[in-house]
Amino acid sequence: MQQLLSRLSITGFDATSYFSANQGNTSQLPNIAIAVSGGGYRACLNGGGAIQAFDSREANSTVAGHLGGLLQSATYLAGLSGGGWLVGSIFVNNYTTISGLLNNNGSSSVWEFQNSIFKGPDTGGVQLLDSTEYYNTIYKDVQGKANAGGFDTSITDYWGRALSFQLVNASEGGPSYTWSSTAQQDFFTSGQSPMPILVSDGRAPDQVLIPSNTTVFEFNPWELGTWDPTTYGFVPLEYLGSNFSGGILPDNEQCVRGFDNAGYVMGTSSSLFNTFLLEINTTSIPSAFKSVLTNLLTEVGQNNNDIASYTPNPFYGYHNATSKNAQSTTLTLVDGGEDLQNIPLHPLIQPVRAVDVIFAVDSSADTPYNWPNGTSLVATYERSLNTTGIGNGTVFPSIPDQNTFVNLGLNTHPTFFGCNSSNITGVSPLIVYIPNSPYVYYSNVSTFDPSYNISERDAIVENGYYVATMANGTADTQWPMCAGCAIISRSLERTGTPVPDVCTQCFSRYCWDGTVNSTLPAEYDPTLMSATANVQSSANLQTMSSLLTVAVIAVLAGMISL
């Protein structure tokens, strides 16, 4: 972090002297987190561009105008849904770089997104309806889980296995890879990486719509659990699948390992099936599939099986008075963005983690043209004010309404929220909001596009890099320095250090000043800000929801010879 802040050249701030003066009390130094929103492959790739910009291991990321080193300086990296695919793919593949996942100089890459998740990888050598080897493998993996200990399975099991073929660099998608194994990896134990966190929402029995005060769960390398007062507990992730009761494992029960399959955890954070159940008639999928998918999703919805099923429920009999799942043998989890908190801020604003600044990369499709308009921030802010007490002491900066975001252009460039901590009741991090915008490519692709050719994939990543760096500092030469000012802001307050004049200027430029314009905005349809990236057309792209793939798999599993 010291090297990063030195490179950002904040006039009037000597990073070396500052760190030396506070080396005896590291809690005085900045505590950074990065949050990557959901939004399917759009979020995975746009967020990937931001992470590439933040990673000092990437070529040219540490030259003037860039932000390389921010990833290495961060304590936490959180993702959900498509952003969770990004976080998971980085960490499951040995904390690799985005360039490593793209691998344009090698024979093949991990992110072979030109091969639709419907078709499977090239090595399968088969197409959609005769993809016997691909579908057989997924089906048998899921059945293996069911047969191992009578574990309940759901569509998310199929979805998680299919995801793994696209995100995990291992034979058959690494069926033995677990999320908890991250805690044992050298890159993590040595502190070379931030702590990865994936987010999922709890769904009470028989519930379809997810309310704003739903319980939010997190998967970190050690635990699954929640800070919310409804459950307020964590279970050791390595032993997920063990028959806990009342917060303990009875003496007559055995420990179970391997339940936390990495693909299943990523699939849990991106399980949007009950949303599709409600919106399937407006989804652009081929008519040949619509009736069969509707029938299947209706059936699993009626069975409360359109979710990720965690059976046995690790929180069974735990906090019976407040938890709606305490008396259920199954913990049901769904996509982390279904409560509209599509940026995984919840685990990062917990007081115990003492985060100073969150770089929030938003690839949400809030507008008709699939651009963000601040809805995620609004949802987290409103949750912090919820009178039910679901916030449990968390504090979040004031956020304007979505119309104001568009009218004031707050969704067109980075914006800081919570700059003046004296205006906040309690301790809250400063939010650096980084919305998806078209710099070199129209990265507002549909959440439901299942494949991208190599040039399209790379263009979205490149655009994400430009979004995070404001075109490598060319859109604003002061942006890297201003990002540095955001990093040190809370730390300067704690240590009583005067704010450098250049930071005051940065805050005047990037901080939301409280102005509100809630009138209905004009249609938001931005144009490119820089030269267009070189992209080849893809005539074979389908507009079938990739997140409905598992439904097709489940249907085909009953059609093919197993």
Side-chain angles (χ1 to χ4, degrees):
M1 187 189 304
Q2 179 179 324
Q3 294 178 351
L4 168 66
L5 293 172
S6 294
R7 282 200 307 273
L8 296 180
S9 301
I10 303 172
T11 306
F13 177 77
D14 186 334
T16 301
S17 298
Y18 189 78
F19 275 69
S20 296
N22 292 284
Q23 62 182 353
N25 184 4
T26 55
S27 64
Q28 299 283 60
L29 298 175
N31 188 9
I32 305 170
I34 301 170
V36 187
S37 82
Y41 291 100
R42 179 187 63 252
C44 181
L45 295 171
N46 181 66
I51 296 301
Q52 189 176 53
F54 297 158
D55 191 344
S56 62
R57 299 172 297 175
E58 297 282 6
N60 301 318
S61 68
T62 59
V63 300
H66 296 243
L67 293 171
L70 180 59
L71 178 66
Q72 284 70 28
S73 302
T75 306
Y76 306 101
L77 173 60
L80 66 77
S81 201
W85 306 346
L86 166 63
V87 174
S89 197
I90 291 171
F91 280 84
V92 172
N93 293 301
N94 201 33
Y95 188 50
T96 188
T97 62
I98 300 303
S99 292
L101 293 170
L102 300 176
N103 192 28
N104 288 328
N105 297 320
S107 57
S108 63
S109 63
V110 179
W111 284 0
E112 296 285 338
F113 296 156
Q114 73 275 19
N115 301 318
S116 168
I117 198 169
F118 286 99
K119 300 177 182 180
D122 278 341
T123 52
V126 287
Q127 298 302 314
L128 179 63
L129 294 178
D130 61 352
S131 297
T132 306
E133 180 180 343
Y134 175 55
Y135 292 119
N136 263 339
T137 299
I138 292 174
Y139 181 84
K140 290 177 180 178
D141 285 344
V142 175
Q143 290 306 300
K145 173 182 176 179
N147 296 334
F151 294 112
D152 187 23
T153 59
S154 64
I155 286 184
T156 305
D157 287 280
Y158 293 96
W159 171 234
R161 294 304 306 127
L163 275 177
S164 295
F165 276 87
Q166 294 213 323
L167 301 174
V168 180
N169 186 21
S171 176
E172 299 184 355
S176 64
Y177 283 36
T178 61
W179 191 255
S180 59
S181 64
T182 301
Q184 310 302 323
Q185 303 303 311
D186 289 343
F187 64 78
F188 186 71
T189 58
S190 63
Q192 298 176 44
S193 76
M195 184 171 89
I197 301 174
L198 298 191
V199 171
S200 186
D201 287 340
R203 198 188 100 168
D206 301 318
Q207 190 178 60
V208 177
L209 293 173
I210 304 300
S212 60
N213 64 344
T214 193
T215 300
V216 179
F217 288 83
E218 70 172 61
F219 295 85
N220 63 55
W222 297 289
E223 299 162 315
L224 161 65
T226 177
W227 301 95
D228 290 345
T230 46
T231 301
Y232 196 65
F234 289 81
V235 64
L237 191 61
E238 182 181 2
Y239 300 108
L240 198 62
S242 303
N243 198 14
F244 290 92
S245 180
I248 62 173
L249 189 66
D251 292 338
N252 61 338
E253 294 287 348
Q254 293 183 334
C255 291
V256 172
R257 290 186 176 92
F259 190 100
D260 62 312
N261 172 271
Y264 187 56
V265 172
M266 288 187 281
T268 298
S269 182
S270 59
S271 176
L272 280 169
F273 303 114
N274 62 1
T275 299
F276 289 149
L277 180 61
L278 298 173
E279 298 184 3
I280 189 170
N281 289 329
T282 62
T283 302
S284 298
I285 62 173
S287 58
F289 289 99
K290 183 163 290 188
S291 62
V292 77
L293 292 177
T294 300
N295 292 338
L296 178 63
L297 292 178
T298 299
E299 177 183 353
V300 298
Q302 291 170 347
N303 293 333
N304 288 317
N305 207 30
D306 59 325
I307 39 73
S309 174
Y310 284 76
T311 306
N313 177 7
F315 301 104
Y316 179 77
Y318 188 72
H319 287 179
N320 292 322
T322 55
S323 174
K324 293 181 180 180
N325 281 301
Q327 294 305 307
S328 174
T329 57
T330 297
L331 174 66
T332 54
L333 301 178
V334 297
D335 188 289
E338 288 201 30
D339 61 352
L340 299 184
Q341 294 187 96
N342 200 38
I343 305 175
L345 298 165
H346 180 270
L348 307 178
I349 62 175
Q350 300 304 319
V352 69
R353 286 187 167 140
V355 171
D356 290 324
V357 57
I358 303 173
F359 286 79
V361 182
D362 192 4
S363 306
S364 302
D366 300 326
T367 71
Y369 289 104
N370 298 329
W371 300 109
N373 67 2
T375 292
S376 298
L377 295 187
V378 172
T380 300
Y381 172 56
E382 290 179 346
R383 191 178 196 268
S384 72
L385 303 177
N386 195 299
T387 57
T388 65
I390 191 67
N392 205 24
T394 55
V395 179
F396 200 71
S398 295
I399 303 294
D401 62 273
Q402 293 92 327
N403 287 352
T404 294
F405 266 85
V406 177
N407 286 325
L408 300 186
L410 304 180
N411 64 332
T412 65
H413 55 73
T415 303
F416 300 169
F417 296 94
C419 293
N420 188 347
S421 63
S422 63
N423 290 335
I424 304 173
T425 303
V427 178
S428 169
L430 187 153
I431 307 298
V432 178
Y433 180 62
I434 304 177
N436 183 23
S437 299
Y439 275 81
V440 296
Y441 186 67
Y442 287 106
S443 53
N444 57 326
V445 294
S446 171
T447 307
F448 305 134
D449 285 345
S451 59
Y452 300 85
N453 67 39
I454 297 297
S455 62
E456 290 167 324
R457 179 200 68 178
D458 292 353
I460 298 175
V461 172
E462 181 184 0
N463 190 77
Y465 195 113
Y466 271 58
V467 168
T469 61
M470 294 197 73
N472 304 327
T474 60
D476 179 3
T477 58
Q478 301 298 307
W479 164 240
M481 182 181 66
C482 290
C485 289
I487 291 173
I488 64 175
S489 177
R490 295 291 194 261
S491 178
L492 295 179
E493 291 180 6
R494 282 195 299 274
T495 58
T497 304
V499 177
D501 290 341
V502 292
C503 288
T504 300
Q505 296 168 16
C506 284
F507 296 149
S508 177
R509 185 180 313 176
Y510 285 101
C511 292
W512 175 56
D513 62 4
T515 300
V516 173
N517 180 355
S518 301
T519 59
L520 185 66
E523 185 175 70
Y524 180 63
D525 187 16
T527 57
L528 294 178
M529 304 180 192
S530 303
T532 306
N534 183 22
V535 177
Q536 299 175 359
S537 65
S538 180
N540 295 323
L541 280 185
Q542 308 168 59
T543 56
M544 181 187 299
S545 166
S546 63
L547 299 181
L548 286 172
T549 300
V550 292
V552 178
I553 294 172
V555 171
L556 293 178
M559 297 179 179
I560 60 180
S561 176
L562 299 175

